[in-house]
Amino acid sequence: MSQADVRRRVSSRFLTSELRLIAVRRRNQVGLAALAAVPVVLAVAMKVASPEGPPDRGDGPNFFSQILGNGFFVALAALGVELTLFLPIAVSMLAGDAVAGEANQGTLRYLLTVPVGRTRLLAVKYAGIVMGAFVAPLTVAVSGLVVGLLLFGGGDVTTLSGTQIGFGTAVLRLLLICLYLGVCLSALGAIGLFLSTLTEQPMGATIALAMLTVTSWILGQIPQLDWLHPYLLTRHWTDFGELLRDPVSPGGLTPGLLSAGAYIVVFLSAAWARFAGRDVTS
Amino acid sequence: MTDLAVASQGLTKRFGSQVAVDAVDLAVPRGAVYGFLGPNGSGKTTTIRMLLGLISPTAGGHDLLGAAMPDHAADVLPHVGALVEGPGFHPYLSGRDNLRRLDAADRTAEARTSGARIDAALDRVGLSAAAGKRYRLYSLGMKQRLAIAAALLQPRQLLVLDEPTNGLDPQGTREVRTLVGQLAAEGATVLLSTHLLAEVEQVCTHVGVMHRGRLVAQEPLAQLRSDAAPRARVLTDQPAEAARVLRTLGLTEIAESASEASGQLGAVAPEKVVASLVHDGVAVRGFAVEAPSLEDVFVRLTGRGFDVSG
Ligand SMILES: Nc1ncnc2c1ncn2[C@@H]1O[C@H](COP(=O)(O)OP(=O)(O)OP(=O)(O)O)[C@@H](O)[C@H]1O
Ligand SMILES: [Mg+2]
C-alpha cells in the first residue's frame, strides 16, 4: 500500500490562508473601517459641541468627561461605547461565518475531502476568530488614540485612583485593555463558532450571536436577576477600567478572565461535539 | 481486497424515513473507469458523500484504496481527488487563489511545488487564461472546470467525479472525456457519476446502475451489454403490420415508430422473423439484430417513468 508514504507536515499554511481569507474579504475591511470611524466621529462631535455634562451610558467606566483635557480618553471612551454593540457585532460576523459560511458556499465539503480533519478545521477557524477579537479593539484604540492626540493633544493621564501616570505608561495600559477585551470577545467568538456549526446560514448564526450579546447586557441591567448576573457573558467586560487604577490590582481582572475561559472551554467543546461527527450535506 | 479501489459492504443511508441508499455493495476494480449511473434522486451523490466520509452511513461500511474508511481518511483522502455535487468556492477569491487555499489546507502538499502544481491543474482544464478572475464572475462551465482542477492538484490514485461534465460546452465535455482517459492511462481509478450515457459508452470500463437507492446492476460494460437481450429491428413503411407479426412470433417489448418496429428476440431465431415478415407481406426495407444501446439497458433497469423517486 502506498498510503503509508503520505507525510503530513506540521505547517502554518492553512492558518495563514484562513487569516488571509478574512483579511481580503471586503465585508471585513468595511467592518473594520466602521469600527475605526466611531472614535473619529466621537472626537469630532466632542470638539464641535463641547457638551456641558457627559452623556449617560450605563455602568461602564465613563471617560467622556476627560476627553476634552486629554486625547487619550478618546480611545477609552470609544472602546466603552463600541463594546456594547459594535465590537460584538464585528466578532459575530466573523464567528457566524466560520463554519456556516463554508457550508453555505459549498467549500466545506471540499476542505473536508482535502482532507482537513474536522478538529483541525475548528482550530483554524477559531484562531481566525480570535485574531479578529484582538484586532478589533486594537483598531478602535489606535484610531481613537490618533484622532484624540490630533484634536485634544496628549499629556499625563489621571487614573481612576486619582494619581497621574505618564502618557507612555497610559498607552501600555491601553494595550492591556485591548488584550483583556480580546479575551472577552474570544469567549463570544467561541459561542459563535458553536452556533456556526449548527446552521448553513452564516447570517443566522451572526444575528443569533449579536442578539445573545444584547440580551446579556439587558439581563445584566435587571436587579431582580442578580442571581444570574455572575454567569452572564458580558458581566465582566466593563471591568477593563481596573487597568486604569494605580496601582493596578492584579485580582481585578481575574473574574473576567476566568469567566471568559469557562465560556471558551464549554463552547469549543460543544462545537467540537457537534461538528466532529456531523453529516455534511451542504 | 487491495485489487478494489472502492469496496463497500451494505452501505446504507437513511434520511428520516427515506432510505436514500439501500445496502449498496460497490466494487470498483483498480484501474477501472466506473460509470456510476442512475436517475435523479437515485442516491448517487449520497453514496459518494459516504465514500468520502462527508456523511456517515446508517449501516454498512467501505474501504477506499484498500484502507477502511473513515478511520484511515487522513491517509487515504490525499490520494483521492473529488468533485461532489458541483463546484464550491469562495466567490470573492480568484480561481487561482481558491486553489491556493485548498492546497494550503492539504498537509501532504509541498509548499515549494504549490505554484507549479496549481498552474498545471489550471492548464489541464483549460482555465489558465481566467485564473486571475474572481470566482463569482466565472461562467457555469468555468466553475465546473475549476472544481475539476481542484481534484487534480496532486497526483491521485482515485478520482471521484460527480457529474463533472454538468454545464460544460461540447468542447469541455470532450476534454473531460479525454482527461478521464488520460488519468486512467496514468493508472488512476475513476468513479464517474454522470447522466451522459454516450460518455459512459466511450470512456467507461465498468458500470454500476442505481435505482431508488439500490445498486441494480454492476458489471463490466461489455458484459452488461452482451447480457442484455438482443432486439430485432425491422425498417418498414408498415410498422403496425410488422409489430403484429413480431408479437405473434412471441417477441416481447415491442416498440413501433413511423418507419420501424422492434422487439426483444428472446428464443426466436432471427431468420424465422424475416421469413414470417415476408410471408405476411410486410414490406421489409431493412432488418437487424442489435445489442440494445446502453440507454435501452438503463431504461430497462430503472424504468420508463420520468418522475423522480422521492
Ligand atoms: N440531506 C438530506 N436530507 C434528506 N434527504 C436527502 C438529503 N440528501 C439527499 N436526500 C435524498 O436522497 C435521495 C438521493 O439523493 P442524491 O442526491 O443522492 O441523488 P442523485 O442520485 O445524486 O441524484 P441526481 O442525479 O439528481 O444528482 C433523494 O431523494 C434526496 O431527496
Ligand atoms: Mg447527484
Side-chain angles (χ1 to χ4, degrees):
Chain A
M1 270 321 306
S2 41
Q3 270 88 56
D5 61 21
V6 171
R7 273 190 34 232
R8 283 196 290 278
R9 300 168 176 79
V10 177
S11 134
S12 61
R13 282 181 78 205
F14 186 35
L15 180 62
T16 312
S17 153
E18 179 67 22
L19 300 185
R20 217 182 89 85
L21 189 71
I22 293 173
V24 301
R25 185 149 180 197
R26 190 65 48 85
R27 193 189 77 174
N28 297 339
Q29 295 168 353
V30 171
L32 208 57
L35 288 181
V38 170
V40 177
V41 172
L42 199 136
V44 171
M46 293 292 276
K47 183 83 180 171
V48 173
S50 296
E52 15 264 57
D56 182 33
R57 28 149 256 101
D59 59 349
N62 199 324
F63 306 107
F64 279 81
S65 43
Q66 287 166 285
I67 286 183
L68 294 175
N70 191 333
F72 175 79
F73 287 97
V74 172
L76 281 177
L79 280 174
V81 167
E82 297 205 46
L83 189 57
T84 49
L85 197 57
F86 290 180
L87 285 169
I89 284 183
V91 172
S92 299
M93 300 254 266
L94 273 190
D97 204 48
V99 177
E102 299 274 2
N104 192 257
Q105 279 160 3
T107 40
L108 181 58
R109 62 174 181 273
Y110 287 108
L111 283 177
L112 294 179
T113 52
V114 155
V116 178
R118 294 184 182 209
T119 310
R120 178 166 163 245
L121 184 69
L122 284 180
V124 166
K125 285 291 172 187
Y126 189 57
I129 296 171
V130 168
M131 180 205 66
F134 282 93
V135 166
L138 277 171
T139 305
V140 176
V142 169
S143 164
L145 209 52
V146 170
V147 71
L149 285 179
L150 285 179
L151 292 187
F152 305 106
D156 284 358
V157 171
T158 313
T159 65
L160 292 179
S161 319
T163 57
Q164 297 270 317
I165 54 174
F167 191 77
T169 316
V171 169
L172 197 67
R173 299 282 183 92
L174 184 63
L175 179 68
L176 289 176
I177 286 173
C178 289
L179 295 182
Y180 175 74
L181 292 180
V183 175
C184 293
L185 292 171
S186 295
L188 179 72
I191 304 178
L193 184 69
F194 170 65
L195 291 177
S196 187
T197 61
L198 300 180
T199 169
E200 287 170 21
Q201 295 304 326
M203 252 330 185
T206 297
I207 291 172
L209 190 59
M211 284 173 60
L212 202 134
T213 315
V214 173
T215 310
S216 174
W217 284 122
I218 293 174
L219 293 180
Q221 298 288 325
I222 303 178
Q224 286 84 350
L225 294 178
D226 55 0
W227 54 271
L228 181 67
H229 291 173
Y231 307 104
L232 288 176
L233 172 71
T234 53
R235 164 73 175 174
H236 299 287
W237 286 11
T238 45
D239 289 358
F240 70 83
E242 293 293 321
L243 285 164
L244 285 179
R245 296 196 189 284
D246 197 32
V248 178
S249 68
L253 297 179
T254 317
L257 293 176
L258 286 180
S259 159
Y263 267 101
I264 291 172
V265 169
V266 168
F267 280 94
L268 287 189
S269 310
W272 182 83
R274 160 71 188 162
F275 187 63
R278 188 189 101 179
D279 278 0
V280 172
T281 54
S282 59
Chain B
M1 290 292 288
T2 48
D3 58 337
L4 290 180
V6 180
S8 78
Q9 302 85 33
L11 209 56
T12 301
K13 184 68 189 182
R14 209 170 273 133
F15 292 113
S17 61
Q18 184 198 4
V19 184
V21 175
D22 190 359
V24 164
D25 297 331
L26 278 180
V28 180
R30 277 185 188 264
V33 178
Y34 186 103
F36 196 36
L37 314 180
N40 293 136
S42 55
K44 302 180 299 293
T45 301
T46 305
T47 304
I48 286 175
R49 281 182 188 278
M50 282 193 279
L51 292 180
L52 297 169
L54 291 172
I55 61 182
S56 39
T58 312
H62 70 284
D63 293 357
L64 282 190
L65 300 171
M69 285 283 289
D71 298 352
H72 295 278
D75 300 322
V76 175
L77 289 182
H79 298 284
V80 180
L83 172 58
V84 191
E85 192 140 82
F89 293 100
H90 292 285
Y92 44 88
L93 292 186
S94 71
R96 178 178 275 114
D97 283 345
N98 267 295
L99 294 188
R100 274 201 191 116
R101 175 163 170 80
L102 285 173
D103 197 62
D106 187 350
R107 292 175 69 187
T108 66
E110 242 184 285
R112 198 169 42 83
T113 58
S114 174
R117 282 182 293 109
I118 288 170
D119 285 340
L122 285 166
D123 190 49
R124 219 162 167 184
V125 299
L127 212 51
S128 299
K133 221 183 206 176
R134 284 219 241 163
Y135 176 75
R136 55 179 296 231
L137 304 176
Y138 276 20
S139 71
L140 178 62
M142 287 159 79
K143 291 177 178 170
Q144 191 75 14
R145 286 169 191 245
L146 188 64
I148 299 173
L152 300 176
L153 280 176
Q154 296 250 57
R156 310 287 191 189
Q157 294 180 26
L158 172 66
L159 284 138
V160 178
L161 304 175
D162 189 8
E163 302 193 31
T165 49
N166 190 10
L168 290 189
D169 53 26
Q171 289 91 330
T173 310
R174 221 166 75 176
E175 279 159 33
V176 167
R177 198 161 64 219
T178 316
L179 185 66
V180 167
Q182 282 171 6
L183 292 165
E186 290 163 19
T189 310
V190 184
L191 175 65
L192 179 72
S193 150
T194 177
H195 294 294
L196 301 180
L197 299 176
E199 290 289 279
V200 174
E201 294 197 283
Q202 290 181 61
V203 299
C204 291
T205 59
H206 291 68
V207 175
V209 181
M210 294 286 291
H211 181 45
R212 296 172 191 262
R214 306 195 71 104
L215 188 64
V216 291
Q218 172 168 255
E219 276 176 298
L221 179 64
Q223 198 176 327
L224 184 74
R225 299 188 56 182
S226 68
D227 283 357
R231 291 178 71 86
R233 230 176 107 202
V234 185
L235 296 184
T236 174
D237 54 4
Q238 300 164 273
E241 280 300 292
R244 191 185 48 76
V245 174
L246 296 182
R247 203 168 286 123
T248 7
L249 282 169
L251 275 71
T252 52
E253 295 192 29
I254 312 286
E256 279 177 51
S257 71
S259 60
E260 68 168 74
S262 66
Q264 207 161 299
L265 268 171
V268 184
E271 45 275 35
K272 193 167 160 215
V273 177
V274 180
S276 297
L277 285 167
V278 173
H279 180 264
D280 285 16
V282 179
V284 176
R285 289 178 177 166
F287 181 83
V289 176
E290 291 174 346
S293 68
L294 187 56
E295 187 172 320
D296 293 331
V297 176
F298 181 79
V299 169
R300 188 168 52 75
L301 285 168
T302 60
R304 246 167 238 291
F306 175 65
D307 291 346
V308 299
S309 46

